[in-house]
Amino acid sequence: MANDQKKFQALIAHCKEYGFIFPSSEIYDGLSAVYDYGQNGSQLKKNIRDYWWKSMTQMHENIVGIDAAIFMHPTTWKASGHVDNFSDPMIDNKDSNKRYRVDHLIEGKAEQLENEGKTTEAKVLLQQMDDLLKVNDFPGLKKLIEDQKIACSISGTVNWTDIRQFNLMFSTQLGSTTEGASEIYLRPETAQGIFVNFLNVQKTGRMKIPFGIAQTGKAFRNEIVARQFIFRMREFEQMEMQYFVRPGTELEWYAFWKAERLKWHKSLGINPERLQYHDHSKLAHYANAAVDIEYNFPIGFKEVEGIHSRTDYDLSRHQQFSGKKIQYFDNEINKNYVPCVVETSIGLDRSVLMILSEAYEEEAVPTADPTKTDIRTVMHFPAFLAPIKLAILPLLKKDGLPEIARKLMDECKSQFYCWYEEKDSIGKRYRRQDAIGTPFCVTIDHQTKEDDTVTIRYRDSLKQDRIKLGEVKDKVLKAING
Ligand code: GAP
């Protein structure tokens, strides 16, 4: 399904129609690369976050979780290298002195071509831009702007400076100007909140190396290419774990986490053929090994998670910039040292997009007329991730059926998410549940009153069974926990 734009657009439309994801502040025409999660999307996202948290912390005795603030002391970002190195290209017009982001300029031209009906030219232009951005080819990007005769909207001229870097961090003011406000940043990654708390956690938790610190939370980047739905956002959520190890053992632990994280992705029910490693050939100056786990989205294989062996770079830099000793005494070897770090860093929004892409299907299904089929849109979420686990549907709004259904609802709702619905035909209600990925529907009918049985309908197989009312809760619990 590489580069299946049609499927991607259908998925985006489905997400909006069924309460998964909406453009942010849509009534004001939205905000570029910012999205809101709706009633089903936020529950799906929470289920993925909870599963990651449990896999990392509860399932590993030597990994603990924290929740650090988004705002951090500004020196944090000098120490981490983000102030100097976390940037993207921009260009100025010499006549108007107006500054543009290179991607905005070229995207504007592509939009103009699109409006003129030159769709292929627009696509080629965007592809050329992406290719040049990927390799930081600034002269190539400037030439593209000149070749396309892209003019400044104010001066109308094509008199451009060379392209320079633009920092991706969002900044704001802490305190009022009269108090002498200082500039601080919205964190561009959650990892630094873990590094600056290394000693706090190690000492108060009496943690022995090797051990890990995990955290989930928002990160912010003024992204330069932001056209791919929730794949690349300006406000997004990360789930990161820093594993602190004895120097010299970091590559062994890197290999361990590389394998472990791929297993985790497979445990989400992802088809292994749609997962791959992408080893980094060009390493960041602080890393001695790095790999991405990629998923085959409808827009092709792309990064969902990065695993990096970051050496002792981060803790050493914080030691240097803070002037505080950040070291660990290893009594097994009777030595003090700055630990090395192996990082696993996964985007929660990209995980949501991966699960949505994997689950989405437009499937031909039989109808009452054997010569015809119908199309249903179904989300095949694994039961433990589905936003709603069980739909409880009385066949009619009378004859005591709603009362039996409500009783079942009361028994189940403290254990898992249920949905009660009595409107519309049963077929229409089933379809709505398929569209949001509810694995089980239970119908209460007149026979229920006679023999205490209900019809349970399975989302994926469309099979229907008659089971005892009293068995419903355990059946669903088994599927969720299994
Ligand atoms: N601490 C390391 C770090 O932040 P990264 O590769 O820049 O590394 C880690 O980001 C993960 O965060 C990525 O693999 C991706 O899933 C997610 N991510 C990064 N930028 C993103 C964005 N603009 N929108 C959505 N997710 C993003």
Side-chain angles (χ1 to χ4, degrees):
M1 78 173 168
N3 274 312
D4 190 345
Q5 272 300 337
K6 226 169 125 193
K7 174 173 173 178
F8 198 48
Q9 292 312 321
L11 178 62
I12 296 170
H14 186 84
C15 282
K16 183 157 179 265
E17 191 177 347
Y18 286 95
F20 285 96
I21 298 163
F22 310 122
S24 163
S25 21
E26 199 189 3
I27 56 168
Y28 297 106
D29 297 332
L31 185 64
S32 168
V34 185
Y35 291 89
D36 296 339
Y37 285 84
Q39 65 279 20
N40 293 317
S42 56
Q43 190 58 43
L44 174 66
K45 187 178 175 191
K46 181 181 181 309
N47 293 346
I48 298 172
R49 189 195 296 110
D50 288 350
Y51 180 63
W52 180 89
W53 186 260
K54 184 174 173 187
S55 319
M56 276 298 175
T57 61
Q58 196 173 328
M59 301 305 286
H60 290 99
E61 290 171 28
N62 63 345
I63 302 181
V64 292
I66 64 163
D67 184 9
I70 287 171
F71 292 139
M72 299 183 70
H73 192 284
T75 309
T76 307
W77 306 110
K78 289 207 182 93
S80 68
H82 284 81
V83 171
D84 294 328
N85 301 320
F86 199 55
S87 43
D88 268 336
M90 55 193 264
I91 194 166
D92 293 3
N93 183 270
K94 289 183 192 165
D95 300 318
S96 65
N97 290 326
K98 173 136 172 75
R99 181 164 295 168
Y100 292 88
R101 282 194 19 208
V102 168
D103 66 323
H104 283 179
L105 261 190
I106 301 175
E107 280 172 2
K109 176 71 182 186
E111 209 176 305
Q112 184 195 326
L113 290 170
E114 188 89 48
N115 293 341
E116 290 165 6
K118 298 175 181 164
T119 308
T120 314
E121 282 98 322
K123 274 196 184 137
V124 170
L125 177 59
L126 291 174
Q127 189 57 53
Q128 283 174 319
M129 176 183 79
D130 285 352
D131 292 345
L132 292 165
L133 280 172
K134 232 182 259 165
V135 292
N136 280 337
D137 183 349
F138 295 168
L141 283 162
K142 186 173 178 192
K143 186 165 179 311
L144 191 63
I145 291 170
E146 286 169 346
D147 289 350
Q148 291 287 332
K149 300 193 173 44
I150 302 177
C152 167
S153 60
I154 296 172
S155 67
T157 68
V158 290
N159 192 9
W160 297 109
T161 61
D162 285 341
I163 293 174
R164 278 167 298 134
Q165 289 286 18
F166 161 81
N167 199 292
L168 293 187
M169 282 195 293
F170 286 102
S171 67
T172 185
Q173 302 292 317
L174 188 75
S176 71
T177 33
T178 46
E179 286 166 11
S182 55
E183 188 185 33
I184 56 164
Y185 300 101
L186 298 186
R187 67 181 177 199
E189 61 170 14
T190 58
Q192 298 304 323
I194 293 179
F195 293 129
V196 299
N197 278 298
F198 167 75
L199 280 184
N200 284 338
V201 174
Q202 191 273 315
K203 287 197 167 24
T204 57
R206 295 161 19 113
M207 308 300 290
K208 274 189 168 309
I209 267 176
F211 74 91
I213 305 178
Q215 127 157 281
T216 70
K218 288 271 172 130
F220 304 83
R221 296 181 189 178
N222 204 354
E223 287 288 357
I224 190 156
V225 180
R227 289 191 311 272
Q228 293 160 321
F229 191 38
I230 58 166
F231 181 79
R232 200 176 297 284
M233 301 159 90
R234 298 207 161 100
E235 173 183 341
F236 58 99
E237 201 165 330
Q238 288 185 316
M239 307 190 286
E240 298 199 297
M241 193 279 295
Q242 312 293 327
Y243 203 67
F244 300 94
V245 304
R246 186 184 292 166
T249 65
E250 71 272 18
L251 290 178
E252 277 165 49
W253 285 112
Y254 167 78
F256 171 84
W257 283 109
K258 180 175 167 178
E260 197 69 7
R261 293 306 301 150
L262 188 65
K263 268 192 239 158
W264 184 87
H265 284 264
K266 289 180 187 165
S267 77
L268 296 171
I270 308 285
N271 179 347
E273 285 175 15
R274 286 199 275 274
L275 290 166
Q276 70 181 22
Y277 286 128
H278 171 77
D279 286 298
H280 290 207
S281 42
K282 196 175 141 210
L283 292 175
H285 58 283
Y286 51 79
N288 60 0
V291 66
D292 293 336
I293 293 178
E294 296 185 335
Y295 172 73
N296 194 2
F297 290 100
I299 46 177
F301 268 106
K302 293 199 181 288
E303 173 187 349
V304 182
E305 172 157 11
I307 297 129
H308 303 108
S309 171
R310 299 180 67 119
T311 65
D312 64 358
Y313 176 82
D314 302 274
L315 291 183
S316 296
R317 293 277 290 184
H318 286 302
Q319 180 168 259
Q320 183 191 335
F321 278 71
S322 67
K324 312 251 162 56
K325 194 169 154 191
I326 306 181
Q327 295 197 359
Y328 173 81
F329 179 70
D330 191 331
N331 53 19
E332 277 178 30
I333 53 170
N334 216 15
K335 220 173 144 187
N336 261 319
Y337 54 76
V338 177
C340 281
V341 170
V342 175
E343 170 185 74
T344 72
S345 174
I346 176 168
L348 177 53
D349 308 273
R350 283 193 196 172
S351 309
V352 171
L353 186 59
M354 173 171 73
I355 296 295
L356 287 167
S357 307
E358 187 72 10
Y360 183 88
E361 189 185 6
E362 289 169 19
E363 185 189 26
V365 287
T367 62
D369 176 350
T371 62
K372 289 191 181 136
T373 54
D374 198 3
I375 297 290
R376 70 160 179 162
T377 304
V378 54
M379 303 300 284
H380 297 285
F381 298 131
F384 73 102
L385 293 180
I388 292 166
K389 316 296 185 194
L390 173 69
I392 299 174
L393 314 171
L395 188 65
L396 299 174
K397 273 192 252 177
K398 55 182 186 181
D399 301 340
L401 304 185
E403 287 75 8
I404 302 174
R406 282 277 173 210
K407 200 162 161 261
L408 179 63
M409 182 86 186
D410 288 341
E411 270 169 35
C412 293
K413 71 183 180 193
S414 65
Q415 305 285 318
F416 46 79
Y417 263 93
C418 307
W419 184 257
Y420 177 88
E421 195 163 51
E422 50 185 39
K423 257 207 227 126
D424 288 334
S425 73
I426 205 76
K428 275 192 186 155
R429 283 183 267 171
Y430 283 159
R431 283 288 186 278
R432 279 202 291 270
Q433 295 305 318
D434 289 343
I436 61 169
T438 305
F440 303 101
C441 292
V442 153
T443 305
I444 282 97
D445 55 20
H446 291 95
Q447 196 185 326
T448 313
K449 286 171 55 175
E450 287 160 23
D451 62 6
D452 258 353
T453 64
V454 291
T455 300
I456 186 161
R457 183 243 193 204
Y458 304 96
R459 176 198 65 202
D460 295 343
S461 65
L462 295 166
K463 236 181 88 201
Q464 301 192 8
D465 278 341
R466 202 79 204 171
I467 64 166
K468 283 279 181 200
L469 189 56
E471 291 170 10
V472 172
K473 186 169 83 182
D474 283 349
K475 198 170 184 75
V476 177
L477 276 175
K478 205 169 154 202
I480 301 168
N481 297 327

